[in-house]
Amino acid sequence: MTGRKSEKATPASQYRERNSTADRALDILGLFSQDKLSLSGQEVATALGTARSTAYRYLQSLVGNGFLEEDPQGGFRLGLRVLELARLARRGYGLSEIALPLMRELCSDIGETVLLTRRAGGAAICVERCEAEHPVRISYERGSVLPANAGASALALLAWLPEQECRELLEAQRLQRFTARTMTDVDALMERLAQIRQDGFTVSRGELDVDILGIAAPVRGASGSVVAALSIAALEHRVPDRRLGEVVAAVRRAAELISGQLTVVGD
């Protein structure tokens, strides 16, 4: 008589289970956003479509590894391990080490907040920010993910993409209106981007944040392609027309200096 073999987890099945758990952990981390800085166990269970006990098991695993921590106000928030990974990610690009000294110098010279952004698909991500003595309240916090159609930095990142790629990218997403000045028409945006390429910089007035003026210029890597945008953000009244040319020139000069150093070390 042949007995039934006991079921043992094979290495392949163990790998699939580990992979599944990793996927759920990544799903949970992906639930956090600018508007959702803390999550309850029930919210996670609902988002994952699992029992609350299962959701708590994933959450406790993330807490145990430092990716999450319990929020004193209730629920769970991102942990210090995430901050450390973000720091390492920025260092891995090599861009921050080169850009930051020049960003600080630009911030000191013109007295306005300076930003460094990169593109990720259809979004712009702020990777570094140097705050002026009179801070301004803007959407570009370090690590924030922002839309492609609003703000000087985002437009500067798009402007030097191949035209067809740029159009497809804009048409593939719902373009959000943030202020009365935000552009959401793809054809109008394409015309705007062509002008930015011709000028070599862009000026944005209240398109993402009301009363905020942005000036951005492209940063190029060793291959010559645009890898980032350098910009300033200031209250509109602080950069009147008589001062605009001076600030534009300073932003472009700093962007060119960063580009020159990137050319030496490689992208």
Side-chain angles (χ1 to χ4, degrees):
M1 178 170 148
T2 304
R4 185 178 176 184
K5 291 182 179 178
S6 62
E7 294 183 358
K8 277 189 172 183
T10 65
S13 66
Q14 288 174 346
Y15 172 79
R16 284 194 296 272
E17 175 60 28
R18 288 199 302 272
N19 191 46
S20 175
T21 301
D23 287 343
R24 298 292 76 76
L26 292 172
D27 288 341
I28 291 170
L29 293 174
L31 294 175
F32 289 92
S33 70
Q34 181 71 29
D35 300 320
K36 179 60 70 173
L37 300 178
S38 183
L39 295 168
S40 69
Q42 184 58 59
E43 286 176 316
V44 172
T46 300
L48 297 184
T50 65
R52 192 156 71 169
S53 59
T54 303
Y56 270 105
R57 189 166 69 248
Y58 293 136
L59 287 165
Q60 290 303 327
S61 177
L62 287 166
V63 169
N65 286 283
F67 291 102
L68 295 181
E69 61 185 30
E70 294 189 14
D71 189 335
Q73 306 300 318
F76 299 85
R77 64 188 182 189
L78 293 172
L80 295 177
R81 186 77 181 276
V82 174
L83 296 178
E84 175 62 13
L85 289 176
R87 184 186 69 81
L88 293 173
R90 290 194 301 274
R91 288 184 63 85
Y93 282 129
L95 176 62
S96 293
E97 289 82 356
I98 290 172
L100 274 171
L102 291 163
M103 290 174 67
R104 294 187 186 109
E105 184 177 335
L106 178 62
C107 181
S108 175
D109 288 346
I110 65 173
E112 305 296 345
T113 295
V114 179
L115 309 166
L116 184 71
T117 54
R118 296 191 71 141
R119 187 175 67 86
I125 299 178
C126 179
V127 293
E128 296 295 349
R129 172 170 165 159
C130 291
E131 198 75 67
E133 289 184 5
H134 49 277
V136 290
R137 188 177 181 84
I138 57 175
S139 297
Y140 277 97
E141 298 291 343
R142 196 168 68 175
S144 58
V145 179
L146 294 152
N149 65 305
S153 293
L155 295 177
L157 290 169
L158 283 184
W160 281 269
L161 285 178
E163 186 173 344
Q164 186 59 33
E165 180 183 348
C166 185
R167 179 176 286 277
E168 289 174 358
L169 186 151
L170 289 171
E171 290 177 342
Q173 56 187 296
R174 177 179 172 273
L175 301 180
Q176 188 174 347
R177 185 177 297 281
F178 297 90
T179 74
R181 295 176 175 178
T182 305
M183 298 180 70
T184 58
D185 180 81
V186 173
D187 289 333
L189 277 165
M190 293 300 294
E191 290 182 12
R192 172 88 176 277
L193 295 173
Q195 186 63 54
I196 292 169
R197 284 194 301 277
Q198 183 176 323
D199 295 340
F201 67 93
T202 183
V203 176
S204 168
R205 298 178 184 274
E207 296 174 26
L208 180 61
D209 297 295
V210 175
D211 297 329
I212 296 297
L213 176 140
I215 299 170
V219 173
R220 298 180 182 275
S223 65
S225 61
V226 173
V227 296
L230 182 73
S231 63
I232 65 102
L235 290 168
E236 282 193 76
H237 74 266
R238 287 187 54 82
V239 188
D241 288 345
R242 59 180 170 76
R243 191 181 175 220
L244 188 62
E246 166 203 341
V247 179
V248 167
V251 172
R252 296 186 72 182
R253 183 166 56 251
E256 288 168 2
L257 287 171
I258 296 170
S259 299
Q261 292 191 34
L262 284 175
T263 299
V264 173
V265 301
D267 294 33

